[in-house]
Amino acid sequence: MPTDLLLGAIALLTSTVAGILGFGGGMLLIATLPVFLHPAVIIPLHGITQLASNASRMVFSIKDVRWSLLPPFLVGSAVGILLFGFLLANLPTGLIPVAIGLYILLSLWSERFSQWIKRYENFYLVGGLQTGLGLMVGATGPLALSVLTKRLTDQNQIIATSALMMAISHIAKILVFGYLGFSFAEHLETLLYLVTGSIIGSWLGTRLRQFVGNPHMIMVIKLALSLLAIRMIMAVV
């Protein structure tokens, strides 16, 4: 199977997962991309793909978006870009898979790390950390999601609003990488497959959400992510 077609299928699968659960798709995708792509292109291509995935998921659930939470998130995102942008410009690309792998493992299994994330109830801080850290580790959806689950009680509202916030974070990521000189045009064919797969996956996941039981699928995703994260770290070390 051609690599681009396989990547499109993976994007479809991971976007479907995110459409059902509201999280996990971006982390699963970014844990898989190092198997196929050079480290220097992982974050920007992931950003385009996840922008398509989150924006389409938000559109498919537009009536459930809580727009009132957006302004403080936008302000925080702007600050996060400024703070983390300089560090990104000076980070060796070979370390990116290690950073991604460690982030995934900590997010999934470290209670202390999880508690640290959950402390940030302010959407100014959530915007800054989610968008800023997203420039470096790619998938930071659990940051906003952990706060939204405390503020909102409806699952569809949580997933739709989280998708909106993640779309904004990915827009910021794309702009920063473009400013730093990354050529998205050189990877247009790969992006076409990734984006198409992610949009179809969002549509499918949104419709399957009401039929799928979350607990068992969440554990499968966590185990798969952990194995991929360990593989990424070991490949560099």
Side-chain angles (χ1 to χ4, degrees):
M1 181 182 295
T3 300
D4 287 344
L5 184 59
L6 181 57
L7 285 171
I10 293 171
L12 189 154
L13 175 62
T14 57
S15 189
T16 300
V17 169
I20 295 171
L21 300 180
F23 79 100
M27 296 179 73
L28 188 57
L29 178 63
I30 204 167
T32 307
L33 289 180
V35 178
F36 303 96
L37 301 175
H38 188 276
V41 307
I42 291 172
I43 302 295
L45 295 193
H46 177 269
I48 292 280
T49 306
Q50 287 305 107
L51 172 59
S53 177
N54 284 280
S56 58
R57 185 162 71 252
M58 184 266 291
V59 170
F60 294 140
S61 304
I62 191 72
K63 62 181 177 61
D64 295 310
V65 174
R66 289 290 301 273
W67 297 99
S68 61
L69 301 177
L70 183 58
F73 183 86
L74 286 174
V75 174
S77 294
V79 175
I81 292 172
L82 295 175
L83 291 178
F84 287 88
F86 175 79
L87 183 58
L88 172 68
N90 294 275
L91 181 71
T93 58
L95 295 179
I96 291 177
V98 177
I100 295 171
L102 289 175
Y103 174 79
I104 290 172
L105 290 174
L106 287 171
S107 295
L108 293 176
W109 303 110
S110 172
E111 184 66 26
R112 179 175 296 180
F113 188 78
S114 297
Q115 290 302 319
W116 175 78
I117 287 177
K118 291 177 182 178
R119 287 167 48 197
Y120 295 96
E121 302 286 351
N122 189 308
F123 277 97
Y124 292 101
L125 289 174
V126 170
L129 289 173
Q130 177 167 293
T131 303
L133 287 172
L135 298 175
M136 303 181 64
V137 299
T140 54
L143 267 171
L145 198 62
S146 64
V147 179
L148 287 170
T149 53
K150 295 180 180 180
R151 297 289 185 91
L152 306 175
T153 57
D154 182 84
Q155 180 187 15
N156 292 318
Q157 288 186 355
I158 292 170
I159 292 175
T161 307
S162 174
L164 170 64
M165 292 179 173
M166 280 306 304
I168 291 169
S169 295
H170 289 300
I171 290 173
K173 181 191 307 180
I174 293 165
L175 293 175
V176 170
F177 274 93
Y179 175 78
L180 293 176
F182 183 83
S183 177
F184 291 96
E186 293 181 7
H187 308 277
L188 195 58
E189 186 172 352
T190 299
L191 283 170
L192 179 62
Y193 281 92
L194 286 168
V195 168
T196 301
S198 67
I199 293 173
I200 295 173
S202 289
W203 178 86
L204 185 61
T206 300
R207 277 145 186 79
L208 290 176
R209 190 183 305 156
Q210 58 182 316
F211 302 111
V212 178
N214 284 359
H216 297 300
M217 181 171 288
I218 290 174
M219 181 54 63
V220 170
I221 291 171
K222 289 178 70 174
L223 292 174
L225 281 169
S226 299
L227 292 174
L228 286 168
I230 292 171
R231 181 185 184 280
M232 290 164 58
I233 295 171
M234 296 303 296
V236 175
V237 176

